[in-house]
Amino acid sequence: MTIATAKLSDPTVRAAVTAINAGDRGAFVALLTEGATMSDDGSDRDLHEWIDREIFTSRGHMDVQTESDHGRALVANYSNETWGEMRTAWRFVVEDGRISRFETGQA
């Protein structure tokens, strides 16, 4: 069963998922700390290149299925125009209301 984005526990993660689903790159980037990092399937990637390719130019969308770690760990059905739909895990490191790192990969 999908968890409504508005009901996600962590306000920063909630804002990130909202930005992803709205296709709002500016709102998503505003949530990142300077020097934020990310990894995909265990390999560090260039964050801005990755979000452009995997989220914003390919119309990424998250349907969150579960959350844990106070809302900073999600399992979601993620879809985009490049890969279709897949079950993914997301972990966010939030510092002072901003994301300093996130990790994603297939769940």
Side-chain angles (χ1 to χ4, degrees):
M1 176 148 68
T2 301
I3 300 171
T5 303
K7 296 201 181 262
L8 294 174
S9 300
D10 186 277
T12 303
V13 173
R14 181 181 331 118
V17 173
T18 299
I20 289 169
N21 289 347
D24 190 341
R25 185 186 190 282
F28 184 84
V29 169
L31 295 167
L32 302 174
T33 63
E34 185 176 331
T37 62
M38 64 85 53
S39 73
D40 182 7
D41 283 328
S43 297
D44 280 3
R45 308 285 186 196
D46 178 283
L47 186 145
H48 292 280
E49 180 183 297
W50 189 91
I51 66 169
D52 285 343
R53 183 182 65 250
E54 300 293 338
I55 298 174
F56 296 106
T57 63
S58 61
R59 301 177 201 257
H61 187 86
M62 294 176 73
D63 289 318
V64 178
Q65 304 299 303
T66 65
E67 69 172 356
S68 57
D69 191 23
H70 307 284
R72 293 184 178 177
L74 309 176
V75 172
N77 291 335
Y78 183 78
S79 61
N80 67 24
E81 291 177 344
T82 302
W83 304 108
E85 185 173 313
M86 66 194 90
R87 189 168 175 82
T88 56
W90 298 73
R91 278 192 124 359
F92 295 88
V93 177
V94 177
E95 299 173 1
D96 298 322
R98 296 182 71 200
I99 298 166
S100 61
R101 179 168 177 83
F102 70 91
E103 300 170 350
T104 188
Q106 293 195 42

